[in-house]
């Protein structure tokens, strides 16, 4: 993990309020953006994810693109490949999902 990323991770682990705010902001991002962020956190390239999914890299790029309205099944499948889940979280309990 690089310096800034490491610093942010330390802040989120030690500051509960910052972690809650981070979770709220992350939850508001488009699913395609969340997927791209989580793929990078897993240190996986688009090409690497494409290989896991047995698709071409441009398919992964389209799935992560905000200009392309990806099918939810494509996002769920890609999320599973990077060991993540797609879920709906009620507004009243979002604070419980702080990083």
């Amino acid at each position: 993990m690089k310096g800034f990323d490491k610093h942010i991770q330390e802040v989120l682990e030690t500051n509960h309020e910052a972690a809650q705010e981070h979770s709220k902001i992350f939850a508001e991002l488009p699913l395609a953006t969340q997927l791209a962020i989580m793929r990078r956190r897993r240190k996986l390239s688009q090409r690497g994810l494409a290989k896991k999914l047995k698709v071409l890299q441009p398919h992964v790029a389209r799935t992560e693109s905000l200009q392309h309205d990806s099918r939810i099944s494509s996002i769920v499948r890609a999320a599973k490949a990077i060991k993540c889940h797609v879920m709906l979280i009620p507004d009243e309990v979002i604070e419980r999902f702080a990083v």
Side-chain angles (χ1 to χ4, degrees):
M1 199 179 297
K2 302 224 174 176
F4 182 73
D5 292 331
K6 187 174 182 177
H7 171 72
I8 292 297
Q9 188 64 34
E10 289 171 1
V11 168
L12 294 176
E13 288 173 358
T14 58
N15 185 326
H16 184 69
E17 291 81 22
Q20 283 182 327
E21 188 62 26
H22 178 269
S23 293
K24 286 180 189 177
I25 291 169
F26 189 81
E28 292 292 324
L29 295 173
L31 283 176
T33 303
Q34 291 181 32
L35 178 64
I37 290 168
M38 292 308 299
R39 175 186 52 75
R40 289 191 299 268
R41 282 187 183 173
R42 301 282 197 234
K43 298 180 179 14
L44 194 62
S45 66
Q46 286 184 345
R47 181 171 279 126
L49 179 56
K51 188 175 180 179
K52 283 179 171 258
L53 295 171
K54 297 181 177 149
V55 298
L56 299 175
Q57 179 273 332
H59 175 79
V60 174
R62 278 190 305 275
T63 301
E64 293 180 354
S65 171
L66 297 180
Q67 280 68 45
H68 181 76
D69 191 11
S70 296
R71 294 173 54 119
I72 190 70
S73 59
S74 295
I75 292 173
V76 169
R77 188 168 168 249
K80 285 181 180 181
I82 60 171
K83 299 187 183 342
C84 291
H85 294 272
V86 175
M87 62 188 290
L88 297 174
I89 303 171
D91 289 343
E92 62 271 12
V93 298
I94 192 73
E95 289 81 20
R96 292 188 216 161
F97 289 90
V99 177

